[in-house]
PDB file of all heavy atoms in Angstrom:
ATOM      1  N   GLY W  94      98.810 101.122 108.917  1.00 95.00           N
ATOM      2  CA  GLY W  94      98.157 102.269 109.272  1.00 95.00           C
ATOM      3  C   GLY W  94      97.536 103.144 108.314  1.00 95.00           C
ATOM      4  O   GLY W  94      97.086 104.350 108.590  1.00 95.00           O
ATOM      5  N   ALA W  95      97.572 102.882 107.052  1.00 96.00           N
ATOM      6  CA  ALA W  95      97.066 103.719 106.055  1.00 96.00           C
ATOM      7  C   ALA W  95      96.779 102.893 104.749  1.00 96.00           C
ATOM      8  O   ALA W  95      97.106 101.753 104.691  1.00 96.00           O
ATOM      9  CB  ALA W  95      98.056 104.883 105.717  1.00 96.00           C
ATOM     10  N   HIS W  96      96.159 103.654 103.804  1.00 97.00           N
ATOM     11  CA  HIS W  96      95.822 103.025 102.562  1.00 97.00           C
ATOM     12  C   HIS W  96      97.094 102.698 101.653  1.00 97.00           C
ATOM     13  O   HIS W  96      96.902 102.002 100.710  1.00 97.00           O
ATOM     14  CB  HIS W  96      94.920 104.099 101.768  1.00 97.00           C
ATOM     15  CG  HIS W  96      95.698 105.229 101.320  1.00 97.00           C
ATOM     16  ND1 HIS W  96      96.189 106.121 102.007  1.00 97.00           N
ATOM     17  CD2 HIS W  96      96.132 105.452  99.974  1.00 97.00           C
ATOM     18  CE1 HIS W  96      96.909 106.994 101.386  1.00 97.00           C
ATOM     19  NE2 HIS W  96      96.920 106.733 100.082  1.00 97.00           N
ATOM     20  N   LYS W  97      98.219 103.159 101.906  1.00 97.00           N
ATOM     21  CA  LYS W  97      99.319 103.076 100.981  1.00 97.00           C
ATOM     22  C   LYS W  97      99.726 101.609 100.864  1.00 97.00           C
ATOM     23  O   LYS W  97     100.161 101.145  99.837  1.00 97.00           O
ATOM     24  CB  LYS W  97     100.585 103.774 101.588  1.00 97.00           C
ATOM     25  CG  LYS W  97     100.539 105.221 101.271  1.00 97.00           C
ATOM     26  CD  LYS W  97     101.892 105.871 101.645  1.00 97.00           C
ATOM     27  CE  LYS W  97     101.879 107.344 101.128  1.00 97.00           C
ATOM     28  NZ  LYS W  97     101.083 108.246 102.027  1.00 97.00           N
ATOM     29  N   GLN W 124     106.560 107.667 104.879  1.00 92.00           N
ATOM     30  CA  GLN W 124     105.332 106.999 104.916  1.00 92.00           C
ATOM     31  C   GLN W 124     105.320 105.903 103.662  1.00 92.00           C
ATOM     32  O   GLN W 124     105.054 104.660 103.946  1.00 92.00           O
ATOM     33  CB  GLN W 124     104.144 107.670 104.933  1.00 92.00           C
ATOM     34  CG  GLN W 124     103.817 108.431 106.316  1.00 92.00           C
ATOM     35  CD  GLN W 124     102.963 109.589 106.078  1.00 92.00           C
ATOM     36  OE1 GLN W 124     103.425 110.688 106.446  1.00 92.00           O
ATOM     37  NE2 GLN W 124     101.762 109.373 105.653  1.00 92.00           N
ATOM     38  N   GLY W 199     104.658 105.741  94.788  1.00 95.00           N
ATOM     39  CA  GLY W 199     103.729 105.758  95.927  1.00 95.00           C
ATOM     40  C   GLY W 199     102.431 106.388  95.766  1.00 95.00           C
ATOM     41  O   GLY W 199     101.751 106.708  96.759  1.00 95.00           O
ATOM     42  N   SER W 200     101.957 106.955  94.608  1.00 97.00           N
ATOM     43  CA  SER W 200     100.783 107.553  94.435  1.00 97.00           C
ATOM     44  C   SER W 200     100.181 107.323  92.998  1.00 97.00           C
ATOM     45  O   SER W 200     101.018 106.696  92.191  1.00 97.00           O
ATOM     46  CB  SER W 200     100.739 108.953  94.888  1.00 97.00           C
ATOM     47  OG  SER W 200      99.360 109.486  95.005  1.00 97.00           O
ATOM     48  N   CYS W 201      99.055 107.914  92.679  1.00 98.00           N
ATOM     49  CA  CYS W 201      98.662 107.893  91.316  1.00 98.00           C
ATOM     50  C   CYS W 201      99.247 109.015  90.449  1.00 98.00           C
ATOM     51  O   CYS W 201      98.535 109.709  89.908  1.00 98.00           O
ATOM     52  CB  CYS W 201      97.002 107.901  91.189  1.00 98.00           C
ATOM     53  SG  CYS W 201      96.297 106.617  92.150  1.00 98.00           S
ATOM     54  N   CYS W 240      91.009 113.449 101.110  1.00 98.00           N
ATOM     55  CA  CYS W 240      92.196 114.319 100.984  1.00 98.00           C
ATOM     56  C   CYS W 240      92.949 114.062  99.673  1.00 98.00           C
ATOM     57  O   CYS W 240      92.964 112.849  99.199  1.00 98.00           O
ATOM     58  CB  CYS W 240      93.056 114.329 102.176  1.00 98.00           C
ATOM     59  SG  CYS W 240      93.956 112.837 102.428  1.00 98.00           S
ATOM     60  N   VAL W 241      93.498 114.974  99.021  1.00 98.00           N
ATOM     61  CA  VAL W 241      94.350 114.845  97.831  1.00 98.00           C
ATOM     62  C   VAL W 241      95.780 115.266  98.026  1.00 98.00           C
ATOM     63  O   VAL W 241      96.030 116.452  98.020  1.00 98.00           O
ATOM     64  CB  VAL W 241      93.622 115.546  96.657  1.00 98.00           C
ATOM     65  CG1 VAL W 241      94.467 115.232  95.359  1.00 98.00           C
ATOM     66  CG2 VAL W 241      92.251 115.139  96.491  1.00 98.00           C
ATOM     67  N   GLY W 242      96.589 114.264  98.058  1.00 96.00           N
ATOM     68  CA  GLY W 242      98.026 114.511  97.976  1.00 96.00           C
ATOM     69  C   GLY W 242      98.447 114.325  96.407  1.00 96.00           C
ATOM     70  O   GLY W 242      98.264 115.139  95.645  1.00 96.00           O
ATOM     71  N   GLY W 243      98.832 113.016  96.241  1.00 97.00           N
ATOM     72  CA  GLY W 243      99.037 112.704  94.734  1.00 97.00           C
ATOM     73  C   GLY W 243      97.762 112.177  94.130  1.00 97.00           C
ATOM     74  O   GLY W 243      97.623 112.398  93.009  1.00 97.00           O
ATOM     75  N   GLY W 244      96.910 111.669  95.019  1.00 98.00           N
ATOM     76  CA  GLY W 244      95.549 111.112  94.520  1.00 98.00           C
ATOM     77  C   GLY W 244      95.210 109.608  94.749  1.00 98.00           C
ATOM     78  O   GLY W 244      94.254 109.297  94.253  1.00 98.00           O
ATOM     79  N   SER W 245      96.115 108.897  95.480  1.00 98.00           N
ATOM     80  CA  SER W 245      95.863 107.589  95.570  1.00 98.00           C
ATOM     81  C   SER W 245      94.618 107.259  96.430  1.00 98.00           C
ATOM     82  O   SER W 245      93.786 106.423  96.080  1.00 98.00           O
ATOM     83  CB  SER W 245      97.092 106.744  95.961  1.00 98.00           C
ATOM     84  OG  SER W 245      97.412 107.006  97.200  1.00 98.00           O
ATOM     85  N   ASN W 246      94.507 107.758  97.691  1.00 98.00           N
ATOM     86  CA  ASN W 246      93.399 107.484  98.493  1.00 98.00           C
ATOM     87  C   ASN W 246      92.118 108.038  97.877  1.00 98.00           C
ATOM     88  O   ASN W 246      91.036 107.394  97.931  1.00 98.00           O
ATOM     89  CB  ASN W 246      93.715 107.824  99.977  1.00 98.00           C
ATOM     90  CG  ASN W 246      93.233 109.215 100.298  1.00 98.00           C
ATOM     91  OD1 ASN W 246      92.051 109.412 100.647  1.00 98.00           O
ATOM     92  ND2 ASN W 246      94.177 110.210 100.139  1.00 98.00           N
ATOM     93  N   SER W 247      92.231 109.186  97.290  1.00 98.00           N
ATOM     94  CA  SER W 247      90.980 109.746  96.824  1.00 98.00           C
ATOM     95  C   SER W 247      90.359 109.080  95.589  1.00 98.00           C
ATOM     96  O   SER W 247      89.360 108.608  95.565  1.00 98.00           O
ATOM     97  CB  SER W 247      91.238 111.284  96.528  1.00 98.00           C
ATOM     98  OG  SER W 247      92.485 111.436  95.610  1.00 98.00           O
ATOM     99  N   GLY W 314     102.070 113.960 104.112  1.00 92.00           N
ATOM    100  CA  GLY W 314     101.547 113.146 102.826  1.00 92.00           C
ATOM    101  C   GLY W 314     100.876 114.103 101.835  1.00 92.00           C
ATOM    102  O   GLY W 314     100.770 113.761 100.829  1.00 92.00           O
ATOM    103  N   LEU W 315     100.537 115.346 102.222  1.00 94.00           N
ATOM    104  CA  LEU W 315      99.894 116.241 101.316  1.00 94.00           C
ATOM    105  C   LEU W 315     100.780 117.305 100.910  1.00 94.00           C
ATOM    106  O   LEU W 315     100.507 118.166 100.090  1.00 94.00           O
ATOM    107  CB  LEU W 315      98.673 116.904 101.955  1.00 94.00           C
ATOM    108  CG  LEU W 315      97.543 116.013 102.473  1.00 94.00           C
ATOM    109  CD1 LEU W 315      96.381 116.796 102.975  1.00 94.00           C
ATOM    110  CD2 LEU W 315      97.090 115.022 101.411  1.00 94.00           C
ATOM    111  N   ALA W 359      94.864 110.422 110.800  1.00 96.00           N
ATOM    112  CA  ALA W 359      96.174 110.999 110.306  1.00 96.00           C
ATOM    113  C   ALA W 359      95.883 112.436 109.980  1.00 96.00           C
ATOM    114  O   ALA W 359      94.667 112.882 109.636  1.00 96.00           O
ATOM    115  CB  ALA W 359      96.547 110.152 109.092  1.00 96.00           C
ATOM    116  N   GLU W 361      96.643 114.067 107.403  1.00 96.00           N
ATOM    117  CA  GLU W 361      96.165 114.125 105.930  1.00 96.00           C
ATOM    118  C   GLU W 361      94.661 114.009 105.931  1.00 96.00           C
ATOM    119  O   GLU W 361      93.993 114.815 105.498  1.00 96.00           O
ATOM    120  CB  GLU W 361      96.871 112.967 105.148  1.00 96.00           C
ATOM    121  CG  GLU W 361      98.378 113.191 104.914  1.00 96.00           C
ATOM    122  CD  GLU W 361      99.226 112.648 106.030  1.00 96.00           C
ATOM    123  OE1 GLU W 361      98.575 112.066 106.962  1.00 96.00           O
ATOM    124  OE2 GLU W 361     100.466 112.623 106.037  1.00 96.00           O
ATOM    125  N   SER W 362      94.231 112.785 106.524  1.00 98.00           N
ATOM    126  CA  SER W 362      92.868 112.446 106.491  1.00 98.00           C
ATOM    127  C   SER W 362      92.050 113.562 107.323  1.00 98.00           C
ATOM    128  O   SER W 362      90.779 113.797 106.948  1.00 98.00           O
ATOM    129  CB  SER W 362      92.659 111.215 107.241  1.00 98.00           C
ATOM    130  OG  SER W 362      93.674 110.228 106.985  1.00 98.00           O
ATOM    131  N   SER W 387      92.067 108.148 105.274  1.00 98.00           N
ATOM    132  CA  SER W 387      93.151 107.431 104.657  1.00 98.00           C
ATOM    133  C   SER W 387      94.185 106.844 105.631  1.00 98.00           C
ATOM    134  O   SER W 387      94.737 105.794 105.195  1.00 98.00           O
ATOM    135  CB  SER W 387      93.934 108.480 103.714  1.00 98.00           C
ATOM    136  OG  SER W 387      94.314 109.593 104.354  1.00 98.00           O
ATOM    137  N   GLY W 388      94.262 107.402 106.812  1.00 97.00           N
ATOM    138  CA  GLY W 388      95.314 106.759 107.821  1.00 97.00           C
ATOM    139  C   GLY W 388      94.990 107.110 109.195  1.00 97.00           C
ATOM    140  O   GLY W 388      94.125 108.039 109.508  1.00 97.00           O
ATOM    141  N   ARG W 389      95.661 106.381 110.108  1.00 96.00           N
ATOM    142  CA  ARG W 389      95.367 106.728 111.577  1.00 96.00           C
ATOM    143  C   ARG W 389      96.489 107.652 112.018  1.00 96.00           C
ATOM    144  O   ARG W 389      97.633 107.798 111.419  1.00 96.00           O
ATOM    145  CB  ARG W 389      95.412 105.411 112.338  1.00 96.00           C
ATOM    146  CG  ARG W 389      96.595 104.619 112.312  1.00 96.00           C
ATOM    147  CD  ARG W 389      96.397 103.496 113.243  1.00 96.00           C
ATOM    148  NE  ARG W 389      97.628 102.455 113.148  1.00 96.00           N
ATOM    149  CZ  ARG W 389      97.645 101.205 112.755  1.00 96.00           C
ATOM    150  NH1 ARG W 389      96.474 100.666 112.292  1.00 96.00           N
ATOM    151  NH2 ARG W 389      98.728 100.578 112.795  1.00 96.00           N
ATOM    152  N   LYS W 392     101.128 108.056 113.851  1.00 90.00           N
ATOM    153  CA  LYS W 392     102.460 108.559 113.311  1.00 90.00           C
ATOM    154  C   LYS W 392     102.576 110.070 113.488  1.00 90.00           C
ATOM    155  O   LYS W 392     103.835 110.484 113.383  1.00 90.00           O
ATOM    156  CB  LYS W 392     102.528 108.301 111.780  1.00 90.00           C
ATOM    157  CG  LYS W 392     101.443 109.109 111.002  1.00 90.00           C
ATOM    158  CD  LYS W 392     101.485 108.865 109.560  1.00 90.00           C
ATOM    159  CE  LYS W 392     100.401 109.622 108.775  1.00 90.00           C
ATOM    160  NZ  LYS W 392     100.553 111.118 108.867  1.00 90.00           N
TER     161      LYS W 392
HETATM  162  C1  LIG V 501     100.501 109.443 101.730  1.00 83.88           C
HETATM  163  C2  LIG V 501      99.282 109.783 102.357  1.00 83.88           C
HETATM  164  C3  LIG V 501      98.227 110.546 101.840  1.00 83.88           C
HETATM  165  C4  LIG V 501      98.387 111.221 100.539  1.00 83.88           C
HETATM  166  O1  LIG V 501      98.588 110.563  99.317  1.00 83.88           O
HETATM  167  P1  LIG V 501      97.490 110.326  98.256  1.00 83.88           P
HETATM  168  O2  LIG V 501      98.270 109.560  97.300  1.00 83.88           O
HETATM  169  O3  LIG V 501      96.949 111.542  97.777  1.00 83.88           O
HETATM  170  O4  LIG V 501      96.378 109.366  98.925  1.00 83.88           O
HETATM  171  C5  LIG V 501      97.030 110.686 102.475  1.00 83.88           C
HETATM  172  N1  LIG V 501      96.792 110.168 103.691  1.00 83.88           N
HETATM  173  C6  LIG V 501      97.764 109.337 104.260  1.00 83.88           C
HETATM  174  C7  LIG V 501      97.474 108.729 105.613  1.00 83.88           C
HETATM  175  C8  LIG V 501      98.937 109.253 103.671  1.00 83.88           C
HETATM  176  O5  LIG V 501      99.907 108.454 104.280  1.00 83.88           O
END
Side-chain angles (χ1 to χ4, degrees):
H96 70 291
K97 282 193 172 74
Q124 287 154 241
S200 188
C201 294
C240 66
V241 180
S245 67
N246 88 87
S247 51
L315 305 183
E361 292 83 1
S362 325
S387 51
R389 61 175 179 245
K392 70 181 176 59

